[in-house]
Amino acid sequence: MEVLKIATAGSVDDGKSTLIGRLLYDTKSLTTDKIEAIEKSSKQKGYDYLDFSLATDGLVAEREQGITIDVAHIYFSTAKKSYIIADTPGHVEYTRNMVTGASTSQVSIILIDARKGVIEQTYRHFFINNLLRVKEVIVAVNKMDLVDYSEDVFNKIKADFQALNAKSSFQEQNVTYIPLSAINGGNVADKSENMPWYTGQTVLEHLEDLTPEDVFETGKTRFPVQTVIRPKTEEYHDFRGYAGKLYGNSIQVGDAVTVLPSLTESKVSKIHFFDQQFDEAKAGSSIVVELENDINVTRGDMIVKSGELPQVEKDINATICWMDSKKLVPGTKYLVQHNTNRVLAKIDTIKNVIATDYSGATPATQLAINEIGDVTIKLSKALYFDSYKENKSNGAFILIDTNTNTTAGVGFIN
């Protein structure tokens, strides 16, 4: 079954938890005892409706601590797809949390309170989705019931967001606008009778119709080797395979490939997935690859198609989202974890801090927690990488504090 990963973004009172709870309820993903608890709690509070935000109440408390980069994940399924929702906070002090949640998501739902319209946090949410190159964005204009389901209010917010969208340099991004009332389920899973002027899809219908081509970016084939498979059993005495996850594009038996960093060339002889063999593997597949000739390949190496070599450099320019309470300053040393490769690095220069409201960048000499800026880094040995725009998986990395072993920052190579 296809799995779709979604990140939500919105202010505290925009109805994010209510929307998630309503999706869980309408897809029959809530247990009977959970529904009974919601009904009982709503009645005790005197509500004449079911408060579906209670479905994620335990996660709200975890999120509000804001002391780690953990993100709450909610799971639900339909007959067509399985979904994972990364429930991310939207405040500026939790920028690192939102980057963490959105970094692995293919779809982002940005909630806007119909009464407030496009606000500062909306700019930040959209900026981060641009930075992470999330291809599919749903702008959910919530609480339409509090503005009398006004089409004019919705159109005004849509026009304001389109003006914001014009600032984006990510032209491949698709933005869909849906008016809804999460509290009563209007346009969440079922069409709202109160908004006959809206003829588009509901949130769930839109998610159900998305295809891999809609949400995944394609690039050049990249296969970072995680481990070498050598069973040395009687049946597989001479077997030598290379295990990892395939990124960017597909790979086929017979493809001419180059192993980095040795630049040794070979051809793909077999592709294994568990106990089966295939002639082709698609991007996103976790596979074992056999090569025609017995060459030296180890963890940290990368297999690419010959003629599609990445950049190989010891200096990189990157945009960094800083996640550590200790400020990032030039001269400090970190470990760069890039795919399966880990190398020692030194921060060379910090160029600027980038404003998440699209107002531009200001020169800077350090990055504080939750700030985003452009940085140059010197590496102890060369990495084989692409820019993040060309290949998301091969253009991203994390910075690890050598003393505490914590994830101090996440980087996107320019």
Side-chain angles (χ1 to χ4, degrees), residues 341-371:
N341 223 337
R342 183 176 287 193
V343 302
L344 187 63
K346 184 175 76 171
I347 305 303
D348 187 32
T349 59
I350 297 173
K351 299 179 180 178
N352 54 44
V353 172
I354 303 171
T356 56
D357 61 358
Y358 288 92
S359 61
T362 55
T365 57
Q366 61 183 21
L367 288 183
I369 188 170
N370 290 310
E371 287 187 331

PDB file of all heavy atoms in Angstrom, residues 341-371:
ATOM      1  N   ASN A 341      27.876   8.453   4.926  1.00  0.00           N
ATOM      2  CA  ASN A 341      29.242   8.956   5.089  1.00  0.00           C
ATOM      3  C   ASN A 341      29.304   9.939   6.259  1.00  0.00           C
ATOM      4  O   ASN A 341      28.442  10.807   6.393  1.00  0.00           O
ATOM      5  CB  ASN A 341      29.691   9.665   3.802  1.00  0.00           C
ATOM      6  CG  ASN A 341      31.110   9.308   3.430  1.00  0.00           C
ATOM      7  OD1 ASN A 341      31.886   8.898   4.284  1.00  0.00           O
ATOM      8  ND2 ASN A 341      31.442   9.465   2.168  1.00  0.00           N
ATOM      9  N   ARG A 342      30.323   9.808   7.077  1.00  0.00           N
ATOM     10  CA  ARG A 342      30.510  10.720   8.207  1.00  0.00           C
ATOM     11  C   ARG A 342      31.934  11.251   8.187  1.00  0.00           C
ATOM     12  O   ARG A 342      32.890  10.475   8.241  1.00  0.00           O
ATOM     13  CB  ARG A 342      30.224  10.011   9.529  1.00  0.00           C
ATOM     14  CG  ARG A 342      30.323  10.915  10.748  1.00  0.00           C
ATOM     15  CD  ARG A 342      29.930  10.197  12.022  1.00  0.00           C
ATOM     16  NE  ARG A 342      28.491   9.968  12.092  1.00  0.00           N
ATOM     17  CZ  ARG A 342      27.851   9.585  13.197  1.00  0.00           C
ATOM     18  NH1 ARG A 342      28.536   9.393  14.321  1.00  0.00           N
ATOM     19  NH2 ARG A 342      26.547   9.376  13.184  1.00  0.00           N
ATOM     20  N   VAL A 343      32.079  12.589   8.102  1.00  0.00           N
ATOM     21  CA  VAL A 343      33.414  13.191   8.023  1.00  0.00           C
ATOM     22  C   VAL A 343      33.517  14.354   9.006  1.00  0.00           C
ATOM     23  O   VAL A 343      32.521  15.003   9.344  1.00  0.00           O
ATOM     24  CB  VAL A 343      33.734  13.689   6.588  1.00  0.00           C
ATOM     25  CG1 VAL A 343      33.646  12.559   5.587  1.00  0.00           C
ATOM     26  CG2 VAL A 343      32.811  14.826   6.180  1.00  0.00           C
ATOM     27  N   LEU A 344      34.736  14.614   9.454  1.00  0.00           N
ATOM     28  CA  LEU A 344      34.990  15.743  10.346  1.00  0.00           C
ATOM     29  C   LEU A 344      34.982  17.034   9.528  1.00  0.00           C
ATOM     30  O   LEU A 344      35.499  17.067   8.401  1.00  0.00           O
ATOM     31  CB  LEU A 344      36.333  15.563  11.045  1.00  0.00           C
ATOM     32  CG  LEU A 344      36.675  16.579  12.145  1.00  0.00           C
ATOM     33  CD1 LEU A 344      35.675  16.478  13.291  1.00  0.00           C
ATOM     34  CD2 LEU A 344      38.096  16.351  12.654  1.00  0.00           C
ATOM     35  N   ALA A 345      34.393  18.081  10.084  1.00  0.00           N
ATOM     36  CA  ALA A 345      34.264  19.342   9.353  1.00  0.00           C
ATOM     37  C   ALA A 345      34.509  20.520  10.277  1.00  0.00           C
ATOM     38  O   ALA A 345      34.332  20.441  11.492  1.00  0.00           O
ATOM     39  CB  ALA A 345      32.878  19.450   8.724  1.00  0.00           C
ATOM     40  N   LYS A 346      34.911  21.645   9.670  1.00  0.00           N
ATOM     41  CA  LYS A 346      35.098  22.891  10.408  1.00  0.00           C
ATOM     42  C   LYS A 346      34.269  23.992   9.754  1.00  0.00           C
ATOM     43  O   LYS A 346      34.269  24.131   8.524  1.00  0.00           O
ATOM     44  CB  LYS A 346      36.573  23.288  10.417  1.00  0.00           C
ATOM     45  CG  LYS A 346      36.858  24.535  11.263  1.00  0.00           C
ATOM     46  CD  LYS A 346      38.349  24.839  11.341  1.00  0.00           C
ATOM     47  CE  LYS A 346      38.842  25.462  10.054  1.00  0.00           C
ATOM     48  NZ  LYS A 346      40.233  25.957  10.190  1.00  0.00           N
ATOM     49  N   ILE A 347      33.560  24.748  10.583  1.00  0.00           N
ATOM     50  CA  ILE A 347      32.772  25.870  10.065  1.00  0.00           C
ATOM     51  C   ILE A 347      33.741  26.970   9.639  1.00  0.00           C
ATOM     52  O   ILE A 347      34.500  27.494  10.463  1.00  0.00           O
ATOM     53  CB  ILE A 347      31.793  26.399  11.133  1.00  0.00           C
ATOM     54  CG1 ILE A 347      30.912  25.261  11.660  1.00  0.00           C
ATOM     55  CG2 ILE A 347      30.941  27.514  10.561  1.00  0.00           C
ATOM     56  CD1 ILE A 347      30.111  24.534  10.608  1.00  0.00           C
ATOM     57  N   ASP A 348      33.710  27.312   8.366  1.00  0.00           N
ATOM     58  CA  ASP A 348      34.643  28.305   7.840  1.00  0.00           C
ATOM     59  C   ASP A 348      34.101  29.724   8.035  1.00  0.00           C
ATOM     60  O   ASP A 348      34.689  30.534   8.745  1.00  0.00           O
ATOM     61  CB  ASP A 348      34.909  28.021   6.359  1.00  0.00           C
ATOM     62  CG  ASP A 348      35.989  28.910   5.789  1.00  0.00           C
ATOM     63  OD1 ASP A 348      36.910  29.272   6.555  1.00  0.00           O
ATOM     64  OD2 ASP A 348      35.913  29.258   4.596  1.00  0.00           O
ATOM     65  N   THR A 349      32.977  30.004   7.389  1.00  0.00           N
ATOM     66  CA  THR A 349      32.380  31.342   7.526  1.00  0.00           C
ATOM     67  C   THR A 349      30.861  31.229   7.672  1.00  0.00           C
ATOM     68  O   THR A 349      30.243  30.285   7.188  1.00  0.00           O
ATOM     69  CB  THR A 349      32.676  32.235   6.298  1.00  0.00           C
ATOM     70  OG1 THR A 349      32.143  31.594   5.124  1.00  0.00           O
ATOM     71  CG2 THR A 349      34.162  32.459   6.134  1.00  0.00           C
ATOM     72  N   ILE A 350      30.290  32.203   8.352  1.00  0.00           N
ATOM     73  CA  ILE A 350      28.838  32.359   8.410  1.00  0.00           C
ATOM     74  C   ILE A 350      28.515  33.652   7.684  1.00  0.00           C
ATOM     75  O   ILE A 350      28.963  34.728   8.080  1.00  0.00           O
ATOM     76  CB  ILE A 350      28.331  32.381   9.858  1.00  0.00           C
ATOM     77  CG1 ILE A 350      28.643  31.027  10.525  1.00  0.00           C
ATOM     78  CG2 ILE A 350      26.836  32.682   9.914  1.00  0.00           C
ATOM     79  CD1 ILE A 350      28.346  30.987  11.996  1.00  0.00           C
ATOM     80  N   LYS A 351      27.753  33.528   6.621  1.00  0.00           N
ATOM     81  CA  LYS A 351      27.520  34.679   5.747  1.00  0.00           C
ATOM     82  C   LYS A 351      26.367  35.558   6.216  1.00  0.00           C
ATOM     83  O   LYS A 351      26.465  36.785   6.210  1.00  0.00           O
ATOM     84  CB  LYS A 351      27.245  34.198   4.320  1.00  0.00           C
ATOM     85  CG  LYS A 351      28.391  33.417   3.677  1.00  0.00           C
ATOM     86  CD  LYS A 351      28.014  32.964   2.284  1.00  0.00           C
ATOM     87  CE  LYS A 351      29.139  32.184   1.620  1.00  0.00           C
ATOM     88  NZ  LYS A 351      28.752  31.695   0.268  1.00  0.00           N
ATOM     89  N   ASN A 352      25.261  34.927   6.610  1.00  0.00           N
ATOM     90  CA  ASN A 352      24.074  35.732   6.916  1.00  0.00           C
ATOM     91  C   ASN A 352      23.057  34.937   7.715  1.00  0.00           C
ATOM     92  O   ASN A 352      23.200  33.726   7.912  1.00  0.00           O
ATOM     93  CB  ASN A 352      23.425  36.241   5.616  1.00  0.00           C
ATOM     94  CG  ASN A 352      23.119  35.099   4.643  1.00  0.00           C
ATOM     95  OD1 ASN A 352      22.613  34.052   5.036  1.00  0.00           O
ATOM     96  ND2 ASN A 352      23.426  35.299   3.373  1.00  0.00           N
ATOM     97  N   VAL A 353      22.044  35.643   8.167  1.00  0.00           N
ATOM     98  CA  VAL A 353      20.844  35.036   8.734  1.00  0.00           C
ATOM     99  C   VAL A 353      19.692  35.374   7.796  1.00  0.00           C
ATOM    100  O   VAL A 353      19.500  36.539   7.430  1.00  0.00           O
ATOM    101  CB  VAL A 353      20.541  35.562  10.154  1.00  0.00           C
ATOM    102  CG1 VAL A 353      19.188  35.054  10.639  1.00  0.00           C
ATOM    103  CG2 VAL A 353      21.629  35.133  11.123  1.00  0.00           C
ATOM    104  N   ILE A 354      18.946  34.352   7.408  1.00  0.00           N
ATOM    105  CA  ILE A 354      17.863  34.541   6.435  1.00  0.00           C
ATOM    106  C   ILE A 354      16.545  34.721   7.173  1.00  0.00           C
ATOM    107  O   ILE A 354      16.175  33.889   8.019  1.00  0.00           O
ATOM    108  CB  ILE A 354      17.770  33.335   5.482  1.00  0.00           C
ATOM    109  CG1 ILE A 354      19.109  33.124   4.764  1.00  0.00           C
ATOM    110  CG2 ILE A 354      16.656  33.535   4.463  1.00  0.00           C
ATOM    111  CD1 ILE A 354      19.177  31.833   3.976  1.00  0.00           C
ATOM    112  N   ALA A 355      15.838  35.789   6.871  1.00  0.00           N
ATOM    113  CA  ALA A 355      14.529  36.031   7.485  1.00  0.00           C
ATOM    114  C   ALA A 355      13.500  35.102   6.868  1.00  0.00           C
ATOM    115  O   ALA A 355      13.438  34.961   5.638  1.00  0.00           O
ATOM    116  CB  ALA A 355      14.116  37.492   7.289  1.00  0.00           C
ATOM    117  N   THR A 356      12.690  34.452   7.703  1.00  0.00           N
ATOM    118  CA  THR A 356      11.705  33.500   7.189  1.00  0.00           C
ATOM    119  C   THR A 356      10.412  34.171   6.722  1.00  0.00           C
ATOM    120  O   THR A 356       9.450  33.484   6.379  1.00  0.00           O
ATOM    121  CB  THR A 356      11.368  32.457   8.274  1.00  0.00           C
ATOM    122  OG1 THR A 356      10.923  33.124   9.459  1.00  0.00           O
ATOM    123  CG2 THR A 356      12.595  31.620   8.603  1.00  0.00           C
ATOM    124  N   ASP A 357      10.397  35.507   6.711  1.00  0.00           N
ATOM    125  CA  ASP A 357       9.220  36.224   6.208  1.00  0.00           C
ATOM    126  C   ASP A 357       9.464  36.791   4.814  1.00  0.00           C
ATOM    127  O   ASP A 357       8.737  37.666   4.356  1.00  0.00           O
ATOM    128  CB  ASP A 357       8.821  37.350   7.169  1.00  0.00           C
ATOM    129  CG  ASP A 357       9.926  38.393   7.337  1.00  0.00           C
ATOM    130  OD1 ASP A 357      11.018  38.214   6.733  1.00  0.00           O
ATOM    131  OD2 ASP A 357       9.711  39.379   8.062  1.00  0.00           O
ATOM    132  N   TYR A 358      10.505  36.284   4.147  1.00  0.00           N
ATOM    133  CA  TYR A 358      10.860  36.683   2.781  1.00  0.00           C
ATOM    134  C   TYR A 358      11.355  38.125   2.688  1.00  0.00           C
ATOM    135  O   TYR A 358      11.382  38.710   1.610  1.00  0.00           O
ATOM    136  CB  TYR A 358       9.665  36.506   1.827  1.00  0.00           C
ATOM    137  CG  TYR A 358       9.343  35.060   1.522  1.00  0.00           C
ATOM    138  CD1 TYR A 358       8.424  34.358   2.284  1.00  0.00           C
ATOM    139  CD2 TYR A 358       9.962  34.384   0.476  1.00  0.00           C
ATOM    140  CE1 TYR A 358       8.125  33.031   2.020  1.00  0.00           C
ATOM    141  CE2 TYR A 358       9.669  33.063   0.206  1.00  0.00           C
ATOM    142  CZ  TYR A 358       8.749  32.394   0.977  1.00  0.00           C
ATOM    143  OH  TYR A 358       8.471  31.079   0.696  1.00  0.00           O
ATOM    144  N   SER A 359      11.784  38.695   3.814  1.00  0.00           N
ATOM    145  CA  SER A 359      12.282  40.070   3.778  1.00  0.00           C
ATOM    146  C   SER A 359      13.765  40.135   3.427  1.00  0.00           C
ATOM    147  O   SER A 359      14.321  41.230   3.310  1.00  0.00           O
ATOM    148  CB  SER A 359      12.028  40.755   5.138  1.00  0.00           C
ATOM    149  OG  SER A 359      12.703  40.071   6.179  1.00  0.00           O
ATOM    150  N   GLY A 360      14.407  38.970   3.261  1.00  0.00           N
ATOM    151  CA  GLY A 360      15.798  38.950   2.832  1.00  0.00           C
ATOM    152  C   GLY A 360      16.742  38.430   3.899  1.00  0.00           C
ATOM    153  O   GLY A 360      16.321  37.851   4.901  1.00  0.00           O
ATOM    154  N   ALA A 361      18.033  38.650   3.679  1.00  0.00           N
ATOM    155  CA  ALA A 361      19.071  38.160   4.593  1.00  0.00           C
ATOM    156  C   ALA A 361      19.884  39.335   5.125  1.00  0.00           C
ATOM    157  O   ALA A 361      20.061  40.346   4.443  1.00  0.00           O
ATOM    158  CB  ALA A 361      19.981  37.169   3.872  1.00  0.00           C
ATOM    159  N   THR A 362      20.376  39.173   6.360  1.00  0.00           N
ATOM    160  CA  THR A 362      21.244  40.189   6.952  1.00  0.00           C
ATOM    161  C   THR A 362      22.580  39.556   7.298  1.00  0.00           C
ATOM    162  O   THR A 362      22.630  38.401   7.734  1.00  0.00           O
ATOM    163  CB  THR A 362      20.608  40.768   8.238  1.00  0.00           C
ATOM    164  OG1 THR A 362      20.307  39.692   9.147  1.00  0.00           O
ATOM    165  CG2 THR A 362      19.325  41.514   7.914  1.00  0.00           C
ATOM    166  N   PRO A 363      23.696  40.284   7.092  1.00  0.00           N
ATOM    167  CA  PRO A 363      25.020  39.733   7.409  1.00  0.00           C
ATOM    168  C   PRO A 363      25.084  39.288   8.868  1.00  0.00           C
ATOM    169  O   PRO A 363      24.506  39.918   9.751  1.00  0.00           O
ATOM    170  CB  PRO A 363      25.959  40.909   7.137  1.00  0.00           C
ATOM    171  CG  PRO A 363      25.222  41.775   6.168  1.00  0.00           C
ATOM    172  CD  PRO A 363      23.772  41.652   6.536  1.00  0.00           C
ATOM    173  N   ALA A 364      25.818  38.201   9.116  1.00  0.00           N
ATOM    174  CA  ALA A 364      25.908  37.671  10.474  1.00  0.00           C
ATOM    175  C   ALA A 364      27.231  36.936  10.655  1.00  0.00           C
ATOM    176  O   ALA A 364      27.866  36.523   9.674  1.00  0.00           O
ATOM    177  CB  ALA A 364      24.741  36.727  10.769  1.00  0.00           C
ATOM    178  N   THR A 365      27.628  36.785  11.899  1.00  0.00           N
ATOM    179  CA  THR A 365      28.855  36.054  12.221  1.00  0.00           C
ATOM    180  C   THR A 365      28.563  34.831  13.084  1.00  0.00           C
ATOM    181  O   THR A 365      29.485  34.121  13.478  1.00  0.00           O
ATOM    182  CB  THR A 365      29.849  36.965  12.959  1.00  0.00           C
ATOM    183  OG1 THR A 365      29.211  37.493  14.139  1.00  0.00           O
ATOM    184  CG2 THR A 365      30.291  38.122  12.065  1.00  0.00           C
ATOM    185  N   GLN A 366      27.279  34.586  13.395  1.00  0.00           N
ATOM    186  CA  GLN A 366      26.905  33.420  14.180  1.00  0.00           C
ATOM    187  C   GLN A 366      25.438  33.083  13.919  1.00  0.00           C
ATOM    188  O   GLN A 366      24.681  33.911  13.409  1.00  0.00           O
ATOM    189  CB  GLN A 366      27.115  33.675  15.670  1.00  0.00           C
ATOM    190  CG  GLN A 366      26.280  34.820  16.219  1.00  0.00           C
ATOM    191  CD  GLN A 366      26.558  35.092  17.695  1.00  0.00           C
ATOM    192  OE1 GLN A 366      27.602  34.726  18.219  1.00  0.00           O
ATOM    193  NE2 GLN A 366      25.608  35.722  18.370  1.00  0.00           N
ATOM    194  N   LEU A 367      25.052  31.864  14.258  1.00  0.00           N
ATOM    195  CA  LEU A 367      23.660  31.434  14.158  1.00  0.00           C
ATOM    196  C   LEU A 367      23.200  30.967  15.535  1.00  0.00           C
ATOM    197  O   LEU A 367      23.865  30.149  16.176  1.00  0.00           O
ATOM    198  CB  LEU A 367      23.493  30.285  13.152  1.00  0.00           C
ATOM    199  CG  LEU A 367      23.630  30.590  11.657  1.00  0.00           C
ATOM    200  CD1 LEU A 367      23.366  29.331  10.838  1.00  0.00           C
ATOM    201  CD2 LEU A 367      22.681  31.701  11.225  1.00  0.00           C
ATOM    202  N   ALA A 368      22.069  31.488  15.989  1.00  0.00           N
ATOM    203  CA  ALA A 368      21.480  31.058  17.253  1.00  0.00           C
ATOM    204  C   ALA A 368      20.431  29.982  16.972  1.00  0.00           C
ATOM    205  O   ALA A 368      20.055  29.740  15.810  1.00  0.00           O
ATOM    206  CB  ALA A 368      20.852  32.245  17.967  1.00  0.00           C
ATOM    207  N   ILE A 369      19.959  29.348  18.030  1.00  0.00           N
ATOM    208  CA  ILE A 369      18.978  28.284  17.881  1.00  0.00           C
ATOM    209  C   ILE A 369      17.757  28.767  17.099  1.00  0.00           C
ATOM    210  O   ILE A 369      17.282  29.884  17.294  1.00  0.00           O
ATOM    211  CB  ILE A 369      18.569  27.736  19.268  1.00  0.00           C
ATOM    212  CG1 ILE A 369      17.688  26.493  19.132  1.00  0.00           C
ATOM    213  CG2 ILE A 369      17.876  28.797  20.106  1.00  0.00           C
ATOM    214  CD1 ILE A 369      17.453  25.766  20.440  1.00  0.00           C
ATOM    215  N   ASN A 370      17.289  27.929  16.161  1.00  0.00           N
ATOM    216  CA  ASN A 370      16.133  28.179  15.292  1.00  0.00           C
ATOM    217  C   ASN A 370      16.407  29.178  14.172  1.00  0.00           C
ATOM    218  O   ASN A 370      15.503  29.471  13.375  1.00  0.00           O
ATOM    219  CB  ASN A 370      14.911  28.646  16.100  1.00  0.00           C
ATOM    220  CG  ASN A 370      14.337  27.543  16.955  1.00  0.00           C
ATOM    221  OD1 ASN A 370      14.097  26.439  16.472  1.00  0.00           O
ATOM    222  ND2 ASN A 370      14.134  27.818  18.233  1.00  0.00           N
ATOM    223  N   GLU A 371      17.631  29.716  14.080  1.00  0.00           N
ATOM    224  CA  GLU A 371      17.946  30.626  12.976  1.00  0.00           C
ATOM    225  C   GLU A 371      18.403  29.831  11.750  1.00  0.00           C
ATOM    226  O   GLU A 371      18.958  28.736  11.864  1.00  0.00           O
ATOM    227  CB  GLU A 371      19.033  31.625  13.382  1.00  0.00           C
ATOM    228  CG  GLU A 371      18.527  32.700  14.335  1.00  0.00           C
ATOM    229  CD  GLU A 371      19.557  33.774  14.603  1.00  0.00           C
ATOM    230  OE1 GLU A 371      20.780  33.475  14.540  1.00  0.00           O
ATOM    231  OE2 GLU A 371      19.149  34.916  14.898  1.00  0.00           O
TER     232      GLU A 371
END
